[in-house]
Each structure stands twice: as structure tokens, then as C-alpha cells.
Amino acid sequence: MSSNTETIILPAPSPKQPYVRISALEGGHLTLPEKLFITDADPNKRATVPSLCFLIQQPASPKPTNLIFDLGLKRDFTGYRPAQQHHIDQRQPTIVSPDVRESLQKGGLSASEIDTVILSHVHWDHVGTPSDFSNAEFVVGSGTLDLLAHGGGTLYPAELFNPDELPKGRTKELPPVRTSSSSSSAPKASPNQTQHTWTPLSAFPAVVDFYGDGSLYVVDAPGHLFGHVNLLARTGPGKWVYLGGDCCHDPRILRGERGIAMYDDGSGGLRSVHVDTEEAAGTVKRIARLLKQGSVVEEGGGQMEIEVVLAHDREWREKNLDRFWPGTL
């Protein structure tokens, strides 16, 4: 696969290429102080934003599959640990209904019909209520289970995570992407790994062809939190959707209108909302190229459309209510 620095080249469809259907799901809302997320922010401005989740249906034989990407907020905050609840107090107001389970039900689908849940990462506003999905296999990025059990260094202590968050016996990690990390506090990978293999895809250093048929790719998206992943989905001939999770928290960063905010880390230094700001900026730079007209092509040519959606994009939600389940992107 070409890795031309000017053009992102996506793989051409196979002769009998399957496509996925994507529907947005409500995952609750939280309120973010803009000064912690974007540069040149009004220091007093707070924005209530969604925590978007997505239903991805793969209708190809032999068995159609239902996959969910991210689970949003828990509807019952007692499911969070005390330190998590303290953090949530700083993100009020929050909205927890409808959550993902309710959103599915409104479109005629039960949580028990979900085959797979992929979490972009395990911050409190993305883990939702895993117990709703009694028949699903959970898939997380490398190092996530160690992060849940032990935390990830001074700024990400164990108290901010719940070691029992995900169902034991039904949770697997993607394999490590690199043998080393730029962060010395990066957690170790779990032995309970999937059999997937990371490979380069044009400008993206590491992706997993999740179904093995070119319809859905898991993209390593480092920087925000250990194990952070995105999805790249093929939704039709020449049509793609990129689900960016928390690669950044405001679409203006992707458009180059704002930067990633830095603020006092409490120890005399600066930090951002990302575990590794430099890596996060690199991830943003790669994704931003998807927005530039003519910078993305499919092998063999032809018309191309690609849509990028971030987890907390309020404007996208307001403009696309008809694309929530049972509607489609």
C-alpha cells in the first residue's frame, strides 16, 4: 500500500466487496470547559456536547453482525468509582437518557442482539453500561486491561478507572502496535489478545482489517489515552466514514482553526487532555488530511467521499438527527 505523503490512498473494493451500514446512537451528554480543550478559548465558556456512539451493521453472509463503537455515559452514576464521580461533578450538566440501550430499542434492536462492542478508549464518558450487552464480545486497544487494573501514571491514577468495568471472559485486546512507547508509564499489554495483525494503510501506520474483507478497519490512534483506537468504515462504492473518537474534542482542531490546549498540570508543568500531546497532534494531523478535498483517493481512481465524525461534535449531532438509528450515515 502506498504511503505517499501528499495523498491518502484507500484500498479499492474487491469484486464482491461487502459494505457496512452505520447509524449514530445517543450516548448521553457532558459539559466541557473549552479552555481545557482548545486554544484561544473564552476562559468562561462551557459547552454541553454529546458522547456519540455508533451501530455498525455488516449484512454480508454467512451471518449479519451488529457492532457498536463506544457506549457513552452510564445511566446510573453509582456505577462509577468515587474519584470518577468527583471528576464527573466538574462536567455538569450531564444528560444520561437516552443512553445506547434506549437508543437501540427506539430503532427496534435489543442490546442482546449486539455481537461486538469496540471501545475507542476507557474514559468514563465512553464505557457506558457494559452489562447491557450480555452476548457481545468486547474489543479494546492494547494495554487497556492493564490501565483499568493499575492506572497509567501520575495523571491517570487507578482510582479513575474501574478494574471490573468490562466483562471477564468476553473482553479481548488488540495486540500491541509497537514494542515500545514514548511514554514510560504506558501500561503493559494483556495476554488475552485477538488474533488480528496490524499493517500500514497509506498515511496510517497501523490498522487492523477487522472482518478480513476490507469493510471495517480499526485504526491505531495514539495520544489521547493508552489503547485509543478509531474506525474507518467502507459504507458504499467510493464512500467511507472515519469515526475519530477522542482524537480531539472539537472539530475546529481538525480544520486547523484551533490547537490543542495546554494547561497547568498541578506540578509546575503543562499538560493537555491527552496522555501524550505530541502523539495526539500527530494523530490529528493524519486525520485532518481526510478533510482536504482531493487528498484521499481509492486505488484505481473513481469518485471518493469520506466523512469524519468526532465523539463530541455537537454541531454534527444537531445537523444529523435523521442519521441516528434507525437512520443511517
Side-chain angles (χ1 to χ4, degrees):
M1 190 63 60
S2 170
S3 58
N4 186 291
T5 57
E6 297 299 324
T7 305
I8 294 176
I9 302 176
L10 299 179
S14 64
K16 296 183 178 181
Q17 179 64 56
Y19 299 99
V20 298
R21 292 194 298 262
I22 302 181
S23 302
L25 297 170
E26 298 283 13
H29 292 70
L30 66 157
T31 301
L32 304 179
E34 287 197 352
K35 66 182 180 181
L36 299 185
F37 295 90
I38 61 170
T39 55
D40 302 319
D42 180 337
N44 299 311
K45 186 173 182 180
R46 295 166 58 83
T48 299
V49 300
S51 188
L52 294 171
C53 307
F54 298 89
L55 170 66
I56 300 174
Q57 298 180 293
Q58 221 253 33
S61 58
K63 179 183 179 296
T65 60
N66 294 315
L67 181 152
I68 287 181
F69 183 58
D70 275 347
L71 296 179
L73 282 67
K74 295 183 186 298
R75 59 181 172 272
D76 180 0
F77 280 5
T78 63
Y80 292 114
R81 300 181 73 184
Q84 292 174 311
Q85 293 188 40
H86 176 71
H87 178 79
I88 294 169
D89 287 343
Q90 303 168 54
R91 298 291 181 261
Q92 297 295 338
T94 56
I95 301 170
V96 298
S97 181
D99 66 356
V100 170
R101 184 182 69 174
E102 292 174 89
S103 191
L104 288 170
Q105 289 172 340
K106 288 182 177 181
L109 193 63
S110 166
S112 63
E113 297 177 81
I114 301 304
D115 303 291
T116 307
V117 173
I118 297 178
L119 297 181
S120 64
H121 64 298
V122 290
H123 274 148
W124 67 276
D125 53 322
H126 295 263
V127 296
T129 308
S131 59
D132 288 342
F133 303 92
S134 56
N135 296 318
E137 177 180 83
F138 282 69
V139 178
V140 293
S142 179
T144 297
L145 296 182
D146 188 76
L147 176 67
L148 289 174
H150 305 294
T154 305
L155 298 177
Y156 297 87
E159 300 82 54
L160 290 177
F161 303 95
N162 183 354
D164 299 318
E165 192 71 72
L166 303 179
K168 290 180 173 60
R170 288 190 289 119
T171 301
K172 293 186 177 180
E173 281 190 343
L174 294 164
V177 177
R178 297 171 296 276
T179 56
S180 62
S181 170
S182 59
S183 174
S184 60
S185 60
K188 299 177 182 178
S190 165
N192 188 22
Q193 293 175 6
T194 72
Q195 298 302 306
H196 293 102
T197 300
W198 296 99
T199 58
L201 180 65
S202 193
F204 298 99
V207 306
V208 159
D209 185 349
F210 192 71
Y211 291 122
D213 60 11
S215 65
L216 183 69
Y217 296 90
V218 180
V219 182
D220 180 44
H224 180 58
L225 188 67
F226 306 117
H228 185 250
V229 295
N230 294 170
L231 294 186
L232 175 65
R234 193 193 298 260
T235 59
K239 294 184 178 181
W240 297 78
V241 172
Y242 189 97
L243 302 178
D246 275 6
C247 68
C248 61
H249 294 70
D250 191 300
R252 288 173 289 182
I253 296 176
L254 278 185
R255 296 195 295 263
E257 300 165 8
R258 294 287 193 275
I260 297 171
M262 304 295 293
Y263 56 92
D264 187 350
D265 67 1
S267 301
L270 292 176
R271 63 163 297 185
S272 74
V273 295
H274 305 291
V275 68
D276 189 316
T277 306
E278 184 176 347
E279 276 203 313
T283 293
V284 166
K285 186 176 180 180
R286 285 190 291 273
I287 298 169
R289 288 168 58 187
L290 299 175
L291 301 177
K292 296 178 181 178
Q293 187 173 7
S295 68
V296 186
V297 299
E298 272 189 0
E299 288 177 320
Q303 295 295 315
M304 265 287 302
E305 296 178 29
I306 186 159
E307 182 173 16
V308 179
V309 188
L310 304 177
H312 301 302
D313 190 339
R314 177 178 57 177
E315 183 178 327
W316 186 93
R317 178 187 176 277
E318 292 172 349
K319 291 181 177 179
N320 292 279
L321 293 176
D322 61 326
R323 302 168 84 188
F324 280 71
W325 172 250
T328 59
L329 271 65

